[in-house]
Amino acid sequence: MKEIAGLAGGRQGPAQLRPLVETVLTALEEGAAARGGPVPAGGPKETARRVAGALGRPLPGHGTGAQEALHTLVRELARGAADPADPYCAAHLHCPPLALSAAAELAAASLNPSLDSWDQAPAATEIEARASAALAAVVYPDLPAPDALMTTGGTESNQLALLLARERAAGGPRVQVVCGANAHHSVQRAAWLLGLPRPVVVDTPSGVLDPADADAALDELPGRALLVATAGTTDTGAIDPLPQLAQVAAKHGAELHVDAAYGGPLLFSRHEAGKLDGLQSAVSVTVDLHKLGWQPVAAGLLAVPDGAALRPLGHQADYLNATDDTEAGLPDLLGRSLRTTRRPDVLKIAVTMRALGREGLGALVDAVCGHAHQLAAAVDRHPGLDLHGRPAISTVLFRPAGADDEQVAALRRELMYEGRAVLGRAAAGGRLWLKATLLNPHIRPQDLDALLRLVTDAQARQTQEAR
Ligand SMILES: *Cc1c(COP(=O)(O)O)cnc(C)c1O
């Protein structure tokens, strides 16, 4: 039993881990080879049947041992994965993580620092403080003391942004959130969770929030408002006109929050950063590094122009941040999240920042934006395909010419169930489109051509069957 239940940490931990990691890597290789494509063929029923067969009873009376359990489950996980490292897996803002970042996760898991108190995470506390400050400075380069919280993702970041806005307005009229119809659903859910009035949703027929429409919506509101803009919509990657929206907000004495969950990492690129001009006017900015940042989930951020803005999150619990401990110089971490026990998600991020530098991250951003332009150009040239529009970031919406929405939806499912490609779907301009969210920096031009061929071949089969 001691052998199976060896620990990951301590001086003996690495020796325990080494053969297990080797088993994991072998199982990953075997699983990927057995899958042979971006996603397992056969759809949900076939995957359920296969997993049930391979796993048997999840909690056996007598365990199977570490090697067997790891090999069986990891192999099955990989065999049945939708693997974003495959060039034909491009449905969602679901990135292929960097190997170095995944390797850093092993260290984080092994030592298990928890960022709710310094005595659980001495070095991790300091790494988080430094990496957060550096990332906040990317968002707010001209300010003296910006800060950023590590979150589980855009959803939590948007929740915290609305919570901070609510608290800034405490004692006065409740904050009214105003957002575009193109905003992420988490904005509405956050307002609901926080007991704020139902957000005013401004129609966005052009795909972005029109400053004149935002102006008109704010004109109607008597009290305090938080205007939420999106820098990189989930459906199309469109970026709201931030400088103009900042002006509109200022004119009305409203605050601006920017949800840059997708688009935020454009800041790393010299070529792309200009698309986010105006971001610095925001009272808070959501960024996800598990989208354009090539991190394993979770890697979210909420950046604020000054660390003092985070004060409403402060909280005291004697066992974690006793007042005398804080006065004696122990860092007080409880106010850096609404969570208590908290993973050191910062480690993989800090490793990535150091290994690639701003240039390296910018080059990855440039690569995926370049792929999107190549794919859009190829769609545009293709007589059998319609292009929705020029990509703003790395998302391309397209559809077979002449297909109706039902056929587009069926085509997407067919490609997925046959294990050929995983594309997303998005409604735009009153029609349904196939969505390619390109986040793999290493795909080649021929992969993009082949992806389009998969679509046109499936469309040809569909048309044939309909005859
Ligand atoms: C993905 C996304 C979110 C939600 O982020 P999670 O990391 O999934 O919680 C919020 N806003 C936008 C614009 C997004 O694309």
Side-chain angles (χ1 to χ4, degrees), residues 93 152-156 158 184 186 230 232-234 259 261-262 288 290-291:
L93 286 163
T152 53
T155 302
E156 186 187 343
N158 286 340
H184 191 260
S186 59
T230 309
T233 64
T234 315
D259 178 357
Y262 179 11
D288 259 351
H290 57 234
K291 289 176 175 173

Side-chain angles (χ1 to χ4, degrees), residues 115 128 132 135 148-161 164 257 259 261 285-290 295-304 310 313 335-339 342-346 348-349:
L115 284 149
E128 181 174 85
S132 300
L135 287 165
L149 298 180
M150 297 282 155
T151 69
T152 53
T155 302
E156 186 187 343
S157 297
N158 286 340
Q159 269 170 17
L160 289 170
L164 291 173
H257 166 67
D259 178 357
V285 175
T286 289
V287 179
D288 259 351
L289 294 174
H290 57 234
Q295 300 303 304
V297 174
L301 296 172
L302 180 73
V304 292
L310 303 173
L313 299 177
R336 297 195 64 82
S337 181
L338 292 184
R339 288 174 279 157
R342 190 157 65 79
R343 284 172 48 81
D345 286 320
V346 71
K348 63 197 170 193
I349 297 172

Side-chain angles (χ1 to χ4, degrees), residues 56-294:
R57 285 191 303 155
L59 181 61
H62 289 283
T64 62
Q67 294 286 356
E68 192 285 337
L70 268 175
H71 183 263
T72 302
L73 275 154
V74 173
R75 187 184 181 285
E76 225 31 55
L77 180 78
R79 163 74 180 78
D83 185 353
D86 187 290
Y88 308 139
C89 185
H92 297 283
L93 286 163
H94 167 213
C95 73
L98 299 174
L100 66 92
S101 196
E105 286 279 68
L106 179 63
S110 300
L111 293 164
N112 216 20
S114 178
L115 284 149
D116 46 332
S117 64
W118 187 87
D119 57 7
Q120 300 174 84
T125 298
E126 194 57 27
I127 293 173
E128 181 174 85
R130 287 166 173 271
S132 300
L135 287 165
V138 172
V139 177
Y140 295 107
D142 302 331
L143 298 179
D147 199 356
L149 298 180
M150 297 282 155
T151 69
T152 53
T155 302
E156 186 187 343
S157 297
N158 286 340
Q159 269 170 17
L160 289 170
L162 267 61
L163 172 64
L164 291 173
R166 187 190 79 180
E167 293 306 298
R168 281 191 296 270
R174 289 193 305 168
V175 167
Q176 174 66 59
V177 173
V178 177
C179 64
N182 63 350
H184 191 260
H185 62 83
S186 59
V187 173
Q188 305 231 20
R189 296 236 284 190
W192 168 72
L193 176 71
L194 293 164
L196 295 173
R198 189 185 288 262
V200 171
V201 179
V202 179
D203 206 17
T204 50
S206 70
V208 295
L209 181 52
D210 186 317
D213 295 341
D215 190 28
L218 288 167
D219 263 340
E220 304 274 302
L221 297 175
R224 261 182 103 109
L226 178 74
L227 181 62
V228 175
T230 309
T233 64
T234 315
D235 275 352
T236 69
I239 299 171
D240 287 344
L242 302 179
Q244 292 87 336
L245 290 171
Q247 274 175 10
V248 166
K251 173 184 154 193
H252 291 274
E255 293 181 332
L256 176 71
H257 166 67
V258 178
D259 178 357
Y262 179 11
L266 293 177
L267 292 170
F268 293 127
S269 156
R270 253 177 290 142
H271 309 289
E272 303 289 336
K275 291 179 180 168
L276 298 187
D277 283 351
L279 195 64
Q280 285 209 65
S281 311
V283 291
S284 47
V285 175
T286 289
V287 179
D288 259 351
L289 294 174
H290 57 234
K291 289 176 175 173
L292 259 190
W294 300 281

